[in-house]
């Protein structure tokens, strides 16, 4: 059984602000959306370029490893994020911040991809807020205590901490032992 993902109507391409869950079926129904995905221009830098490459080359391939959401503005992709299941190792002190959860390895929702378009300043907070709200909706179906990110580099690690309040865990980022997986509580 798959989760319902009703195809958005063509009018989402006209709106000033719309969030759309994207998969190959949605792109097939709205070819203009596929073109908007291919035209996505992230904020300059390696992290954004990595997301743009992922968006055009792997985001919609089967099996889809993460749910992809785009923030549209008048038919252009203003931002993109992807969520999937994950886990994170937390210290005793970190677990205490979550109300004393017992197990060192905690179930998590990974913010696997996150970028805004170069021409869309100021939507980072809105994009993260939407991702957190979506993660909260997932809690009705799966257990998770935290939202986690794997920073692309030290600069993005600092951004997640300073701008959004993520904390370093004791777990290294897969493939980059110099950086730590970061977490943000999903406990209300």
């Amino acid at each position: 059984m798959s989760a319902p993902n009703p195809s958005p109507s063509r009018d989402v391409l006209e709106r000033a602000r719309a969030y759309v869950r994207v998969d190959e079926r949605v792109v097939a129904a709205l070819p203009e959306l596929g073109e908007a995905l291919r035209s996505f221009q992230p904020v300059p830098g390696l992290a954004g370029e990595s997301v743009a490459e992922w968006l055009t080359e792997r985001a919609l391939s089967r099996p889809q490893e993460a749910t992809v959401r785009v923030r549209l503005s008048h038919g252009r992709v203003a931002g993109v994020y992807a969520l999937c299941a994950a886990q994170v190792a937390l210290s005793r002190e970190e677990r205490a911040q979550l109300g004393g959860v017992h197990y060192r390895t905690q179930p998590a929702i990974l913010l696997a991809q996150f970028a805004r378009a170069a021409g869309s300043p100021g939507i980072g907070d809105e994009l993260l807020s939407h991702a957190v709200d979506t993660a909260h909706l997932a809690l009705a179906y799966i257990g998770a205590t935290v939202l986690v990110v794997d920073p692309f580099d030290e600069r993005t690690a600092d951004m997640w901490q300073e701008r959004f309040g993520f904390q370093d865990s004791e777990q290294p980022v897969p493939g980059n032992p110099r950086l730590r997986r970061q977490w943000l509580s999903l406990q209300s």
Side-chain angles (χ1 to χ4, degrees):
M1 178 178 180
S2 63
N5 184 20
S7 288
S9 61
R10 192 162 302 286
D11 75 318
V12 341
L13 299 168
E14 310 295 323
R15 294 185 205 154
R17 183 176 142 208
Y19 280 89
V20 178
R21 178 172 175 219
V22 181
D23 60 25
E24 61 187 8
R25 187 178 53 77
V26 170
V27 171
L30 291 173
E32 300 94 332
L33 182 55
E35 181 55 37
L37 296 175
R38 288 185 292 279
S39 300
F40 176 64
Q41 294 294 314
V43 171
L46 294 176
E49 292 165 13
S50 175
V51 174
E53 178 183 320
W54 166 83
L55 185 60
T56 57
E57 295 179 12
R58 295 183 305 281
L60 305 181
S61 61
R62 290 271 181 198
Q64 195 170 7
E65 297 172 324
T67 59
V68 180
R69 287 191 169 65
V70 295
R71 200 289 205 160
L72 297 173
S73 179
H74 302 290
R76 290 182 48 251
V77 176
V80 58
Y81 72 87
L83 298 174
C84 63
Q87 60 186 21
V88 63
L90 298 177
S91 70
R92 182 178 309 250
E93 294 78 23
E94 292 166 332
R95 294 191 314 267
Q97 292 178 48
L98 297 172
V101 293
H102 178 72
Y103 296 105
R104 180 176 170 269
T105 302
Q106 284 295 299
I109 297 174
L110 174 65
L111 183 56
Q113 303 288 340
F114 184 91
R116 69 169 178 84
S120 299
I123 70 156
D125 290 337
E126 175 195 320
L127 199 61
L128 180 61
S129 178
H130 195 274
V132 168
D133 290 347
T134 303
H136 277 119
L137 291 172
L139 296 179
Y141 302 97
I142 63 168
T145 55
V146 294
L147 179 71
V148 295
V149 294
D150 289 337
F152 185 81
D153 53 25
E154 289 180 23
R155 184 172 161 228
T156 55
D158 290 344
M159 180 218 39
W160 286 115
Q161 283 184 320
E162 294 166 10
R163 183 155 180 207
F164 299 116
F166 279 79
Q167 301 178 54
D168 282 344
S169 72
E170 59 181 35
Q171 181 177 331
V173 169
N176 190 345
R178 293 176 303 126
L179 296 173
R180 296 279 167 242
R181 179 167 271 187
Q182 296 177 325
W183 65 277
L184 184 71
S185 176
L186 287 174
Q187 308 304 301
S188 299

